[in-house]
């Protein structure tokens, strides 16, 4: 079963973040207020996220052919590495919760990038076209969530965040 693929994800996303900074767990779980089409994106995001997690309980990791397995494993591990780094950086935000350190110097949303890379790795390891579709839907809907978060951050952090938006790309 592919469910074991989720264990490192949850340990990093929740366990490591909790261990580094308990208040960061609340900040990471905060959803910015959504409006218009972002409301639909929010629900599609939640449903596709659940679909990804549930589907992994019914999928198996496939080890043959070895080259495809190796590629899937490399993408999966890269996703976990990105997630670990973004969690560590997120936990080291300033006292107001604004983070410009580490991966946040290169991407305003490295945690979302990490999720995408990680889920693509899971899809490659299980060779599931359904999981791949769930992942693509998840990522497309995440864009609406990100727009709402960036609007909230601009209000919360003011000119400092707007200047950050000028310097750093949304994804890469």
């Amino acid at each position: 079963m592919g469910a074991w693929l989720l264990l490192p994800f949850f340990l990093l996303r929740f366990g490591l973040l909790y261990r580094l900074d308990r208040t960061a767990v609340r900040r990471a779980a905060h959803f910015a207020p959504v409006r218009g089409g972002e409301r639909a994106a929010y629900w599609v995001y939640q449903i596709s996220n659940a679909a990804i997690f549930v589907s992994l309980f019914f999928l198996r990791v496939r080890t043959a052919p070895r080259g495809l397995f190796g590629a899937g494993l490399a993408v999966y591990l890269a996703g976990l590495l990105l997630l670990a780094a973004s969690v560590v950086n997120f936990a080291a935000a300033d006292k107001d919760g604004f983070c410009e350190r580490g991966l946040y110097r290169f991407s305003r949303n490295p945690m979302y990038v990490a999720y995408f890379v990680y889920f693509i790795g899971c899809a490659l390891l299980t060779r599931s076209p359904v999981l791949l579709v769930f992942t693509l839907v998840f990522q497309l809907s995440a864009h609406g969530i990100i727009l709402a978060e960036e609007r909230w951050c601009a209000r919360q952090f003011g000119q400092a965040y707007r200047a950050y938006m000028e310097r750093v790309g949304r994804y890469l």
Side-chain angles (χ1 to χ4, degrees):
M1 295 183 109
W4 68 268
L5 294 171
L6 293 171
L7 184 60
F9 175 85
F10 286 116
L11 287 173
L12 290 173
R13 172 61 178 80
F14 298 102
L16 179 60
L17 192 56
Y18 180 82
R19 185 93 163 112
L20 294 172
D21 182 358
R22 293 178 185 170
T23 63
V25 175
R26 261 185 277 125
R27 282 189 298 113
H30 175 262
F31 278 95
V34 292
R35 61 183 185 202
E38 295 165 354
R39 284 185 181 93
Y42 171 83
W43 288 108
V44 171
Y45 173 87
Q46 295 296 353
I47 292 167
S48 61
N49 194 16
I52 290 168
F53 292 149
V54 169
S55 68
L56 282 168
F57 280 90
F58 298 98
L59 297 170
R60 290 181 315 138
V61 172
R62 302 189 185 279
T63 57
R66 291 176 64 180
L68 191 52
F69 172 74
L73 186 61
V75 173
Y76 172 81
L77 293 173
L80 288 175
L81 183 63
L82 284 170
L83 180 59
S86 63
V87 162
V88 168
N89 300 152
F90 187 82
D94 68 19
K95 64 179 175 50
D96 296 325
F98 184 34
C99 184
E100 295 182 84
R101 299 176 184 157
L103 293 178
Y104 287 85
R105 291 177 297 151
F106 309 106
S107 169
R108 294 194 308 261
N109 299 284
M111 214 175 292
Y112 285 105
V113 172
Y115 296 162
F116 181 65
V117 172
Y118 164 80
F119 290 145
I120 289 292
C122 290
L124 288 170
L125 285 171
T126 60
R127 296 216 196 77
S128 171
V130 172
L131 184 56
L132 179 61
V133 168
F134 289 156
T135 298
L136 295 175
V137 169
F138 170 83
Q139 192 60 35
L140 289 171
S141 63
H143 183 72
I145 303 299
I146 288 167
L147 294 176
E149 286 179 359
E150 289 183 343
R151 188 175 53 252
W152 181 86
C153 285
R155 279 195 309 268
Q156 185 76 14
F157 305 117
Q159 184 53 38
Y161 190 78
R162 286 188 282 282
Y164 173 66
M165 290 175 78
E166 296 283 328
R167 287 190 319 274
V168 178
R170 181 172 285 135
Y171 298 109
L172 299 176

